[in-house]
Amino acid sequence: MDPFLANKTSKVYVAGHRGLVGSAIVKKLQQLGFTNLILKTHKELDLTRQSDVESFFAAEKPEFVILAAAKVGGIHANNTYPAEFISINLQIQTNVIHSSYINGVKKILFLGSSCIYPKIAPQPITEEALLTGPLEPTNEWYAVAKIAGIKMCQAYLLQYNWDAISGMPTNLYGPNDNFHPENSHVLPALMRRFHEAKVSGAKEVVVWGTGSPLREFLHVDDLADAVVFMMENYSGLVHINVGSGQEVTIKELAELVKEVVGFEGELVWDATKPDGTPRKLMDSSKLADLGWVPKVSLKDGLVDTYKWYVEYLKQ
Ligand SMILES: NC(=O)C1=CN([C@@H]2O[C@H](COP(=O)(O)OP(=O)(O)OC[C@H]3O[C@@H](n4cnc5c(N)ncnc54)[C@H](OP(=O)(O)O)[C@@H]3O)[C@@H](O)[C@H]2O)C=CC1
Ligand SMILES: C[C@H]1O[C@H](OP(=O)(O)OP(=O)(O)OC[C@H]2O[C@@H](n3cnc4c(=O)[nH]c(N)nc43)[C@H](O)[C@@H]2O)[C@@H](O)[C@@H](O)C1=O
């Protein structure tokens, strides 16, 4: 295992550095003193283009790679664009993982998602639940791509003894999230809707589904911390769950976001919208046993994210 933190001048390529996760990882690495980060926007390097990815890796020769570029979205986007979710993600991860190996990258961390697990899995969900049952239909295309990413890392480790690892984050939120009204995840979607209702003086806000599904939320700064921790402290075949252990129903989340934003009207539930997985609390004890624990509470994280969102709207 090559130490990651020992040399802050190592060339580290963070793919997807302008997204929710990538931007938090870059912030964390810069705080730690890393001076040689390689960052390319989607426009500068489209990771679905195999020959462009090959040329980039051959020219740049990064020493470490953190793969946080992906086609990402909430339940509606996943359900509406299945072809894009499976094809784009398979292409990005295959190109980046293979080129990393070919060009002598010392270690790569691939990010999956808690949606890789069966729709109905024993809770909290351990890493061993992978491929033990049918997936949640609203995001099975994305999940299949993510499972292929885990398996690709495992295969390259097995065949080439290459240090390729995978982290499986739970539902994330924080600064630089996607606040699109339909295609985003629940937390930014509700923050935007409550904010706009507060500003316009609307009496009601529509929330999707029944409110009964349970979700576990992790602040993206905690995830960035965990990513650096895994780069330094973990090598192995098994993918690693990264959760907070903080589980709420969507109804509880909606009430909390409403309070943080300061909207005083009513919630209206649109049960024509899908609930998705009923519950997906991950068992993150493998990471805890290695010595990593999250720090940000959901309430503090929401306050921090709303503060960021209000500033972002002024830009
Ligand atoms: N958000 C969440 O709740 C969770 C996220 N994850 C995982 O974390 C990782 C990052 O997600 P997140 O930060 O939320 O996603 P974002 O959508 O915020 O960021 C993804 C980044 O990838 C870039 N990207 C997408 N397609 C391409 C491409 N073809 N070429 C180059 N760059 C591309 C995007 O650039 P651009 O915007 O310009 O297209 C963007 O910067 C993903 O692997 C995701 O599966 C896991 C669990 C939960
Ligand atoms: C991270 C994970 O994220 C996705 O899975 P998900 O957890 O189901 O994601 P979600 O955040 O979009 O929804 C969570 C719950 O919330 C409800 N809900 C209420 N009101 C809104 C709302 O306004 N928008 C959204 N998006 N959901 C809403 C919604 O009906 C659902 O019950 C995967 O596709 C995949 O991307 C993945 O891996």
Side-chain angles (χ1 to χ4, degrees):
M1 195 198 297
D2 279 292
F4 178 63
L5 292 173
N7 181 3
K8 305 286 173 30
T9 60
S10 297
K11 268 191 158 185
V12 183
Y13 171 44
V14 181
H17 72 285
R18 295 216 288 203
L20 169 69
V21 170
S23 61
I25 292 170
V26 166
K27 186 176 79 177
K28 180 77 197 174
L29 292 175
Q30 286 172 339
Q31 283 166 354
L32 288 168
F34 279 84
T35 54
N36 210 353
L37 302 182
I38 308 172
L39 309 171
K40 291 276 175 203
T41 64
H42 188 161
K43 207 171 159 196
E44 289 165 340
L45 176 64
D46 182 343
L47 295 169
T48 64
R49 299 176 71 92
Q50 185 181 357
S51 60
D52 290 358
V53 175
E54 286 171 354
S55 306
F56 162 74
F57 271 88
E60 290 288 352
K61 297 279 182 196
E63 291 162 79
F64 295 93
V65 172
I66 299 172
L67 178 44
K71 169 85 182 162
V72 178
I75 192 166
H76 172 77
N78 270 270
N79 212 11
T80 311
Y81 311 110
E84 289 175 39
F85 274 84
I86 193 164
S87 66
I88 293 174
N89 285 313
L90 283 171
Q91 289 173 70
I92 292 175
Q93 67 203 37
T94 304
N95 290 340
V96 172
I97 295 170
H98 186 68
S99 275
S100 295
Y101 170 67
I102 291 293
N103 287 285
V105 166
K106 292 176 184 164
K107 179 170 194 154
I108 186 169
L109 186 147
F110 167 71
L111 286 168
S113 158
S114 59
C115 72
I116 57 158
Y117 293 115
K119 175 179 178 130
I120 308 297
Q123 309 280 324
I125 312 173
T126 62
E127 287 83 356
E128 289 70 33
L130 183 65
L131 293 174
T132 56
L135 298 163
E136 155 60 30
T138 56
N139 58 35
E140 68 175 301
W141 321 100
Y142 174 73
V144 164
K146 292 295 185 183
I147 293 168
I150 297 171
K151 290 292 163 193
M152 195 158 163
C153 290
Q154 291 177 343
Y156 280 56
L157 188 154
L158 284 170
Q159 189 173 338
Y160 306 126
N161 196 26
W162 185 46
D163 199 357
I165 61 169
S166 305
M168 295 306 115
T170 187
N171 291 44
L172 304 168
Y173 69 98
N176 296 313
D177 209 341
N178 168 12
F179 287 80
H180 188 277
E182 282 89 36
N183 293 337
S184 63
H185 289 102
V186 59
L187 198 152
L190 293 185
M191 192 167 276
R192 175 177 178 161
R193 223 171 283 147
F194 285 128
H195 178 79
E196 289 176 352
K198 182 176 86 169
V199 170
S200 71
K203 300 268 177 296
E204 293 177 344
V205 158
V206 175
V207 188
W208 299 354
T210 61
S212 65
L214 286 151
R215 291 291 183 273
E216 179 191 21
F217 291 95
L218 180 75
H219 192 279
V220 74
D221 285 349
D222 272 336
L223 177 73
D225 195 51
V227 161
V228 170
F229 180 87
M230 286 186 284
M231 286 297 286
E232 179 71 4
N233 296 291
Y234 179 70
S235 291
L237 208 53
V238 179
H239 59 282
I240 299 289
N241 288 346
V242 190
S244 63
Q246 295 186 53
E247 192 186 31
V248 288
T249 64
I250 295 302
K251 183 166 188 305
E252 287 164 342
L253 176 77
E255 295 291 351
L256 207 52
V257 178
K258 178 182 158 180
E259 182 194 321
V260 167
V261 171
F263 170 67
E264 290 179 346
E266 301 296 319
L267 304 188
V268 178
W269 294 92
D270 177 0
T272 65
K273 294 285 199 299
D275 269 344
T277 311
R279 188 179 183 200
K280 46 177 174 177
L281 175 65
M282 292 202 300
D283 179 334
S284 301
S285 54
K286 276 199 174 56
L287 193 53
D289 290 348
L290 289 168
W292 185 86
V293 284
K295 297 184 187 68
V296 185
S297 73
L298 179 57
K299 181 69 190 284
D300 288 350
L302 280 172
V303 170
D304 161 80
T305 306
Y306 185 54
K307 217 168 120 189
W308 178 88
Y309 180 61
V310 170
E311 287 305 311
Y312 161 81
L313 289 177
K314 290 180 191 160
Q315 288 166 20

